[in-house]
Amino acid sequence: MADATHKRRTFRKFTYRGVDLEQLLDVSSEDFMQMVTCRARRKFKRGLKRKPMGLIKKLRIAKQNTPELEKPACVKTHLRSMIIVPEMIGSIVGVYNGKQFTQVEIKPDMVGYYLGEFSITYKPVRHGRPGMGATHSSRFIPLK
């Protein structure tokens, strides 16, 4: 009896500043420029240089060469200051963090953020663990 009255679960529909995902993918670059923050707007107004355009071109090629229902190949980049645009959604980008490339799958929620925000450049500190030079008593704790 409970199964018959069970409601279907509804998922939250993604919108970016009031524009849903299907419309966001079709929006022109000038209209998208008006939706982003002032810092990103200034960057777009000054023009996308050769390297960011090259990254977008490589992402397009990787998406085109992908079979149906599979993820595209990873495209490696050092461009941590690249702003994520709707065209990049669904791509996989290897973002350099100073040591290695962190694979980041671009999701709709990431639009408008920088690529570098998803690739941490430091190893978080783990406080309170005994180790080399912590205290005198830590000399007797084996390191490995």
Side-chain angles (χ1 to χ4, degrees):
M1 194 71 165
D3 297 328
T5 60
H6 185 68
K7 288 188 176 180
R8 301 258 323 143
R9 186 172 169 202
T10 57
F11 294 100
R12 181 180 64 88
K13 190 169 181 142
F14 172 77
T15 58
Y16 180 74
R17 306 210 176 197
V19 179
D20 59 333
L21 183 59
E22 291 79 27
Q23 293 173 345
L24 191 64
L25 293 172
D26 296 332
V27 77
S28 68
S29 57
E30 286 80 24
D31 292 335
F32 177 69
M33 194 172 84
Q34 297 305 317
M35 288 185 224
V36 293
T37 58
C38 60
R39 169 50 49 191
R41 198 175 315 128
R42 175 178 162 81
K43 188 168 185 166
F44 285 130
K45 192 177 277 189
R46 293 171 68 86
L48 284 176
K49 304 293 188 260
R50 187 168 180 229
K51 286 186 177 180
M53 286 306 293
L55 174 64
I56 290 176
K57 202 176 284 185
K58 283 181 183 178
L59 290 172
R60 271 190 212 133
I61 293 168
K63 268 189 182 177
Q64 288 173 353
N65 297 339
T66 304
E68 277 294 313
L69 302 172
E70 285 193 27
K71 292 184 179 180
C74 180
V75 177
K76 292 182 178 179
T77 184
H78 283 240
L79 297 174
R80 297 175 57 81
S81 62
M82 174 74 184
I83 295 170
I84 296 173
V85 294
E87 189 179 351
M88 298 166 73
I89 293 174
S91 301
I92 297 178
V93 183
V95 185
Y96 194 65
N97 66 3
K99 185 178 180 183
Q100 62 202 17
F101 290 92
T102 308
Q103 284 198 357
V104 177
E105 184 179 350
I106 307 296
K107 296 191 166 54
D109 300 330
M110 299 177 178
V111 172
Y113 288 94
Y114 291 96
L115 279 175
E117 293 183 65
F118 302 102
S119 177
I120 193 166
T121 56
Y122 60 91
K123 186 177 176 184
V125 178
R126 293 163 50 188
H127 294 282
R129 307 281 196 298
M132 198 67 167
T135 58
H136 289 293
S137 62
S138 67
R139 283 185 288 189
F140 305 109
I141 298 172
L143 291 175
K144 292 278 181 182

